[in-house]
Amino acid sequence: MLRLQTSLNRRGFPCPRCARTFHTSGGMSRHYRLECVDLPRFKCPHCDMRSKYTQAIYRHIRAKHRNMELRFVKLY
């Protein structure tokens, strides 16, 4: 049993939807839930930019909309 587990960990945990593999099952689960399945949940309040991550919206506002309010809109 230990030998089978070790060989499984070497190959990684493949995403059932795309070709990416991950070192941990938690990494694959997070990727699948946030990147492969869901649509972007957050939107820039100043333009049509959308992202699955709030930090991407904050980075976008700081770079593209200087001196504007730093917030995001949650779509769902």
Side-chain angles (χ1 to χ4, degrees):
M1 188 67 165
L2 182 60
R3 181 180 274 171
L4 178 63
Q5 236 177 3
T6 304
S7 67
L8 176 65
N9 288 339
R10 281 189 193 144
R11 286 185 297 204
F13 296 87
C15 174
R17 194 161 180 190
C18 69
R20 290 188 64 183
T21 58
F22 299 86
H23 293 286
T24 64
S25 64
M28 189 279 299
S29 296
R30 186 204 58 78
H31 158 80
Y32 183 77
R33 187 178 69 253
L34 296 175
E35 296 177 20
C36 260
V37 177
D38 288 344
L39 297 172
R41 296 185 301 164
F42 306 105
K43 181 185 175 309
C44 173
H46 311 294
C47 69
D48 289 332
M49 191 268 191
R50 295 175 185 218
S51 178
K52 295 176 183 179
Y53 304 101
T54 57
Q55 68 266 22
I57 298 292
Y58 289 136
R59 189 178 333 116
H60 163 78
I61 293 171
R62 285 186 187 109
K64 304 293 182 184
H65 307 291
R66 295 178 192 264
N67 302 323
M68 300 288 276
E69 185 180 1
L70 190 60
R71 64 181 181 89
F72 62 88
V73 176
K74 189 171 181 179
L75 298 174
Y76 58 91

